[in-house]
Each structure stands twice: as structure tokens, then as C-alpha cells.
Amino acid sequence: MELNEFNKFKEKFENANVDEKIELYAYTTGLTQTQYRQLLKLFPFQYIDRLEKALEV
């Protein structure tokens, strides 16, 4: 994902609730590995198990 587009997406991700964050992380395409890592740093660790379950599907 292009940098400008990613920065807007990242802001949306930051402002999303946990369920929305899971949806955005699991189902958005076109992100680089580095961009996924940046988003993961913003994800609330106490809900990481829910994210893992969503990624298993």
C-alpha cells in the first residue's frame, strides 16, 4: 500500500474499536509485511487471541 494511503488507513485503524481493528487487519489486502507490523504495534495486546482466531479462518 502506498505511504499516503497507508497513513490514512493507519489513522482509521488507530481510531477503530477492537472488532473493527480485527476486521481491518485480517481482511485488508495490499499491505506490506512492515505495514502489518506497524498495525500490530497499535493492536491492544489483551485481545491478541481474538486476532489470531480471525487470522486462522
Side-chain angles (χ1 to χ4, degrees):
M1 185 179 287
E2 188 268 322
L3 183 60
N4 242 359
E5 187 181 356
F6 177 69
N7 285 333
K8 290 177 186 176
F9 180 81
K10 187 175 162 186
E11 185 177 327
K12 180 180 177 180
F13 187 85
E14 286 181 285
N15 294 321
N17 65 39
V18 173
D19 290 329
E20 293 167 336
K21 280 180 172 37
I22 291 170
E23 178 104 5
L24 290 168
Y25 191 93
Y27 301 109
T28 299
T29 59
L31 296 170
T32 66
Q33 187 176 13
T34 301
Q35 291 169 336
Y36 275 114
R37 277 193 229 129
Q38 288 179 25
L39 296 177
L40 196 54
K41 289 178 183 179
L42 301 172
F43 193 83
F45 187 74
Q46 67 267 31
Y47 299 110
I48 201 76
D49 60 323
R50 289 176 56 190
L51 178 60
E52 288 174 340
K53 286 179 185 175
L55 293 172
E56 287 176 1
V57 173

